Amino acid sequence: MCKILKVLLFIMAVVIFAFSSGCKTEEIHYGVLGKSIGPYWEVVKKGAEDAGKELNVKVMVFLPQKEDIPKQVETVETWISMGFKGMAIAPSDPEALVSPINSAMERNIPILTIDTDSPNSNRICYIGTDNYTAGKIAGEKMAEILRGQGKVAIATGSLTAMNSIERMKGFRDAIKEYPEIEIIKPILCDNEETSKAVELAEIAILNNPDLDAFFGVYVFNGPSAAKAVESAGKEGEIHIVSFDVTDEHLKLINEGLIDATIAQKQYMMGYEGVKIIHKINKNGLESTLDSLPKNEDGDYIIDTGVEVVTKENLEEYLELMDKWGVEHTFQL
Ligand code: BGC
């Protein structure tokens, strides 16, 4: 009898423990706010969710349909009122997000920026690509491909997000060294609508019969330009330097339609974003900041780095993707 009672008490204790730790998990919610749906952000989402599983916390990832500044502001405000304990945000407009970021920080909700920054806000740190440098790398690659001469169109998904602005600035600064390369106007901006991206690239080819290249700033732009180049029958004549890696990019690089792409490490943006928010909540802000890299202005920036992928190093890059556990259906 006494034995049965002991067993019962043990079972009850296990149930109570499981229930109470279950409740604890429910209490911690972190939010990750991206800029749009699509293959690039799926990888960020996976990184954030993997970190959430490791830490046993709930991570909600929200991706607007396309670049949508009011929706981002509304999402941060909603998450504040829902009592989220931290957020990693990719602002579609650095200034428009200052007020919601600061109001979260005033309520002791730690906010980090990932992928694209809002440096005038009180965010704690930025985790992502050094976009100016990455844009410069793209510009240098373009100049090499064009042998210092030609007409280039720039296509992007945003004219407000800081990463897009910085990439274009870095690109232009690199191109300045080559007076015989002309960047045509206007910038082709699709607000991350793929069909519009293709249409704009087609119009640019029609209006500029002597166009030599596209610089694709966002994930859709390289493949969209490739579609336009193909339908104009100008394969090999119009070059493409793009950003990001999807299966489509890998295939187009292999086919020679995309000459080079700047691959970002967006899995780490989601993964590290959640990990650092959690560290702040567990160990406090000061001790977390001590473990983060600080630049000469005293700002906390985690540069996740980039790789330049071309047909020459495609095989090595696929091996790297396998090593990192990044899924791809494209095989050589
Ligand atoms: C990324 C891009 C990506 C885009 C798509 C950006 O913020 O850095 O490279 O293509 O989001 O939404």
Side-chain angles (χ1 to χ4, degrees):
M1 190 63 180
C2 183
K3 221 176 185 181
I4 292 174
L5 197 68
K6 267 189 192 159
V7 171
L8 275 177
L9 280 173
F10 177 69
I11 292 172
M12 269 172 69
V14 170
V15 170
I16 289 168
F17 175 74
F19 182 72
S20 61
S21 50
C23 287
K24 250 188 221 153
T25 325
E26 293 293 316
E27 278 166 24
I28 301 183
H29 268 90
Y30 297 141
V32 175
L33 177 57
K35 284 160 71 247
S36 65
I37 51 166
Y40 176 88
W41 287 101
E42 281 308 311
V43 180
V44 179
K45 183 170 181 230
K46 172 92 172 45
E49 288 173 348
D50 284 354
K53 275 183 215 142
E54 267 177 40
L55 300 166
N56 203 20
V57 294
K58 301 249 174 200
V59 175
M60 178 176 283
V61 180
F62 178 70
L63 305 172
Q65 279 295 319
K66 55 176 186 150
E67 296 275 346
D68 189 339
I69 301 163
K71 188 86 203 156
Q72 283 199 323
V73 171
E74 184 194 311
T75 305
V76 177
E77 284 165 354
T78 307
W79 285 350
I80 293 174
S81 65
M82 285 168 71
F84 277 30
K85 297 281 186 280
M87 298 173 211
I89 297 173
S92 282
D93 180 324
E95 296 311 317
L97 268 291
V98 165
S99 160
I101 290 176
N102 290 356
S103 104
M105 289 291 296
E106 276 154 26
R107 291 167 172 79
N108 289 323
I109 303 170
I111 304 290
L112 319 179
T113 48
I114 55 166
D115 177 67
T116 180
D117 201 4
S118 171
N120 294 334
S121 71
N122 295 334
R123 58 95 179 120
I124 293 163
C125 71
Y126 164 71
I127 308 171
T129 300
D130 172 346
N131 285 293
Y132 176 77
T133 305
K136 251 189 143 177
I137 295 172
E140 273 147 22
K141 196 73 203 166
M142 180 67 91
E144 180 193 318
I145 292 162
L146 295 181
R147 301 204 175 102
Q149 205 175 10
K151 245 186 183 182
V152 183
I154 300 182
T156 184
S158 171
L159 293 178
T160 53
M162 211 173 142
N163 57 1
S164 169
I165 294 171
E166 286 188 329
R167 284 174 204 175
M168 293 191 285
K169 184 166 190 317
F171 184 84
R172 283 181 192 279
D173 284 353
I175 294 296
K176 267 188 206 145
E177 304 293 317
Y178 304 88
E180 284 177 62
I181 299 184
E182 181 197 346
I183 297 175
I184 63 156
K185 282 184 185 151
I187 296 172
L188 317 172
C189 180
D190 52 69
N191 283 317
E192 299 207 31
E193 283 181 72
T194 326
S195 57
K196 199 167 169 204
V198 178
E199 195 187 312
L200 289 173
E202 283 170 349
I203 295 171
I205 295 175
L206 275 178
N207 289 345
N208 302 276
D210 52 348
L211 190 72
D212 295 291
F214 282 99
F215 168 42
V217 178
Y218 272 3
V219 71
F220 303 104
N221 301 121
S224 302
K227 277 198 189 106
V229 168
E230 257 189 316
S231 57
K234 292 205 166 183
E235 299 97 324
E237 221 177 292
I238 300 183
H239 297 275
I240 301 172
V241 173
S242 66
F243 254 81
D244 299 321
V245 174
T246 63
D247 275 308
E248 222 180 335
H249 287 78
L250 296 170
K251 181 176 149 278
L252 291 166
I253 289 172
N254 192 40
E255 289 170 0
L257 266 147
I258 290 185
D259 296 77
T261 198
I262 311 297
Q264 302 189 77
K265 313 230 172 91
Q266 71 267 35
Y267 178 91
M268 293 315 289
M269 302 179 199
Y271 182 82
E272 285 297 330
V274 170
K275 282 237 152 164
I276 292 173
I277 293 169
H278 193 65
K279 210 168 169 188
I280 296 168
N281 277 327
K282 273 191 70 186
N283 305 344
L285 183 58
E286 290 310 312
S287 95
T288 307
L289 287 181
D290 286 345
S291 67
L292 299 182
K294 208 192 222 181
N295 68 12
E296 63 270 18
D297 302 326
D299 198 4
Y300 295 91
I301 305 282
I302 299 177
D303 179 4
T304 43
V306 294
E307 307 279 339
V308 181
V309 189
T310 61
K311 196 164 178 164
E312 286 69 51
N313 67 5
L314 190 55
E315 195 173 346
E316 285 157 48
Y317 189 73
L318 289 172
E319 281 166 17
L320 268 182
M321 288 177 92
D322 294 336
K323 192 177 122 204
W324 295 329
V326 179
E327 286 169 24
H328 58 92
T329 51
F330 172 83
Q331 300 289 353
L332 272 177

